[in-house]
């Protein structure tokens, strides 16, 4: 399996839908959808949509992704993009560059960037509230709840708040892990869960295993991010290499050393793959994606 | 009917639920729920929840409000509160005072205020996604869609973006109206719609009439707001009287003169009440609320 090809396929599928969001959007203030579009269609890897689609595939081997899977993929990318726009704001991480391009508040202005983020969060829930098939209404509500829980005060936003509240303070490994579990992990686990739920996966051991897989791959993603900040290349990363160190941010390498962080990554990778292996041959693509996430260079 | 008493009753019902939101909320970063709570439980009049409850009552005379009506009342207040927190930010309206108290970013900090707003928006959708009764799932999805449409890029956020994009520029009456229809009107109409939908009101002439009523009362609310900014009292308003004029903001009195604005308010009031009168005696409480909105002094 060529995971790059699989990723490219789901990336196209996602981008096409994201583009469509802006076709029928007459707005009282055209700069608003322009800024939303800028933040959303910015060359992202679309890893979260890929997790949605591949998790759906794992739970529903013979069925292609349907409208609800598509909506989930779009919704999670709207949430992810809004969080990046807000995180980059001067009052937050104050970043001028994102994926090699000026951030939203640099291209537009702060107020527009705040509002574009607000509208993108709203758009995520709007996408998932569209009634596609009345018999799927309960499934859809459950998916909205999962998305809301992962995104808000007990998930992503809490992680960012904790991060900002501890700038310059040393963190224990436990605190670092808890922070990342919220800040990036919650939405990654959510992607896996949404894919499974869109396939009709019921509550039970399988869904719990997939959640556990999501947690592991989410942490692995972050450890790799920290390693890339030290070993990566600014041009490939699309952001200044070494920025975590420069800002004295707590990272896995800072707490565990480079070797310790690499060994942690390896351990998370193995545990994640072990869970998927239990699902048999249906998990092949999701395993390939996990390998890719751990080995990626940007 | 003593509308003050009715308002007080629904205000208590709403506040009780808003308080409960913070009882079970262990957070990684305690300042986040504190800031959310500060923005949400700030002495608001809870007009939007009252509109939800009274619109429910109009459509469901013999049934008391149920869990879905409550969720809608809480959700709409979460959206309203998040929008106030973000509107007050330095990059937006830069207000230090809201309802007589320091604004969220003054008490906490800008980053926390942005995140508290983000988490409150998310909480609105989380509240409405909770499955209460499986037979109501379709109704619930429809309510979420209505709330999302009113809050986002084609509703409230678009209105705020337009407002900020036209600071210091003269607006036509048509532009002013379009701006307010989005900025405050969309959420007020949404409140009326959510109440009716929670009562099971089907699509049709009655629901269209209620939407039209919502649009009228939303505009009337804004005209009265503009008049209060000129005629009101700083202590009663909880914000500096004359701040619109001082900031050279476009207002109804600026465009129509005081008499013209009063006559406009009167006309909107009459039209709104005329629609409700068509609903017979069931509309009594909603008419009283309309009278109150038009005559309020803060």
């Amino acid at each position: 399996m060529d995971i790059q090809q699989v990723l490219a396929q789901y990336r196209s599928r996602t981008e096409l839908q994201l583009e469509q969001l802006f076709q029928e959007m007459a707005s009282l203030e055209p700069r608003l959808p322009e800024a939303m579009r800028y933040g959303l269609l910015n060359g992202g890897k679309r890893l979260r949509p890929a997790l949605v689609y591949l998790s759906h595939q794992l739970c529903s081997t013979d069925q292609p992704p349907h409208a609800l899977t598509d909506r989930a993929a779009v919704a999670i990318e709207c949430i992810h993009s809004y969080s990046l726009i807000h995180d980059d704001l001067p009052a937050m991480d104050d970043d001028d560059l994102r994926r090699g391009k000026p951030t939203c508040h640099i291209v537009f202005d702060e107020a527009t960037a705040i509002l574009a983020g607000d509208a993108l969060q709203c758009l995520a829930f709007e996408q998932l509230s569209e009634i596609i098939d009345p018999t799927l209404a309960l499934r859809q509500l459950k998916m909205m709840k999962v998305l809301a829980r992962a995104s808000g005060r007990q998930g992503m936003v809490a992680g960012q708040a904790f991060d900002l509240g501890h700038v310059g303070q040393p963190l224990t490994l436990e605190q670092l892990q808890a922070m990342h579990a919220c800040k990036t992990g919650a939405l990654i686990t959510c992607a896996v869960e949404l894919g499974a739920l869109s396939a009709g996966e019921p509550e039970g051991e399988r869904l719990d295993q997939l959640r556990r897989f999501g947690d592991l791959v989410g942490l692995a993603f972050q450890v790799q991010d920290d390693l890339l900040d030290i070993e990566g290349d600014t041009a490939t990363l699309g952001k200044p290499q070494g920025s975590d160190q420069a800002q004295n941010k707590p990272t896995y390498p800072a707490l565990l050393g480079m070797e310790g962080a690499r060994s942690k990554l390896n351990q998370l990778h193995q545990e994640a793959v072990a869970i998927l292996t239990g699902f048999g041959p249906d998990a092949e693509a999701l395993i390939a994606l996990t390998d890719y996430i751990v080995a990626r260079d940007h």
Side-chain angles (χ1 to χ4, degrees), chain A:
Chain A
M1 161 157 335
D2 182 350
I3 187 64
Q4 296 275 11
Q5 210 175 324
V6 173
L7 262 176
Q9 174 202 330
Y10 286 127
R11 189 173 187 274
S12 299
R13 186 175 176 130
T14 306
E15 304 255 322
L16 194 71
Q17 294 174 82
L18 297 178
E19 284 281 3
Q20 277 166 356
L21 292 177
F22 295 92
Q23 272 164 14
E24 66 222 32
M25 188 157 55
S27 176
L28 192 62
E29 180 52 61
R31 274 168 63 86
L32 178 66
E34 276 170 36
M36 292 167 73
R37 199 177 182 287
Y38 184 82
L40 197 54
L41 289 150
N42 59 358
K45 293 183 286 294
R46 314 300 180 199
L47 282 181
R48 290 157 194 79
L51 282 168
V52 172
Y53 286 119
L54 292 181
S55 170
H56 171 275
Q57 187 184 310
L58 170 60
C59 297
S60 173
T61 30
D62 51 347
Q63 299 288 333
H66 53 71
L68 209 50
T69 323
D70 283 331
R71 295 282 170 154
V74 166
I76 207 154
E77 206 59 13
C78 287
I79 295 282
H80 179 53
S81 297
Y82 116 70
S83 79
L84 298 183
I85 295 174
H86 280 190
D87 286 2
D88 287 338
L89 286 167
M92 306 267 256
D93 295 347
D94 196 12
D95 278 319
D96 292 353
L97 209 60
R98 162 80 59 189
R99 293 182 186 132
K101 291 197 295 182
T103 45
C104 190
H105 66 274
I106 297 287
V107 175
F108 297 87
D109 53 63
E110 262 185 77
T112 306
I114 294 170
L115 293 172
D118 290 345
L120 278 173
Q121 175 168 203
C122 192
L123 184 55
F125 293 105
E126 188 182 336
Q127 281 298 303
L128 259 185
S129 69
E130 206 69 50
I131 295 163
I132 299 154
D133 177 346
T135 64
L136 299 181
L138 266 177
R139 192 183 294 184
Q140 220 171 323
L141 272 182
K142 182 156 192 189
M143 289 167 69
M144 297 195 82
K145 190 168 141 183
V146 165
L147 183 65
R149 291 238 167 131
S151 308
R153 60 183 178 164
Q154 284 166 316
M156 188 183 74
V157 177
Q160 174 70 356
F162 184 87
D163 194 0
L164 287 168
H166 292 77
V167 170
Q169 290 176 41
L171 295 185
T172 64
L173 187 61
E174 204 182 9
Q175 285 178 310
L176 185 71
Q177 202 132 314
M179 177 179 87
H180 288 311
C182 284
K183 197 179 166 182
T184 53
L187 210 56
I188 286 176
T189 303
C190 173
V192 175
E193 211 173 338
L194 289 181
L197 289 171
S198 83
E201 186 68 40
E203 281 298 333
E205 176 63 23
R206 278 168 57 95
L207 197 53
D208 286 342
Q209 287 288 330
L210 283 172
R211 286 190 191 111
R212 175 86 189 119
F213 159 73
D215 293 346
L216 291 164
V217 86
L219 276 180
F221 178 89
Q222 190 57 50
V223 178
Q224 174 66 353
D225 228 44
D226 286 357
L227 286 167
L228 281 174
D229 186 71
I230 294 170
E231 302 177 310
D233 168 73
T234 296
T236 316
L237 289 176
K239 63 179 178 183
Q241 180 270 339
S243 63
D244 290 347
Q245 277 181 305
Q247 291 173 56
N248 201 20
K249 280 201 173 183
T251 63
Y252 285 96
L255 280 173
L256 300 174
M258 288 301 282
E259 269 323 295
R262 277 197 208 98
S263 137
K264 173 90 181 167
L265 178 62
N266 194 31
Q267 178 208 328
L268 292 166
H269 183 193
Q270 282 181 10
E271 279 186 56
V273 169
I275 289 177
L276 292 181
T277 307
F279 283 84
D282 293 341
E284 191 196 354
L286 207 48
I287 291 176
L289 181 63
T290 308
D291 296 343
Y292 168 82
I293 286 174
V294 168
R296 76 203 153 89
D297 64 357
H298 66 289

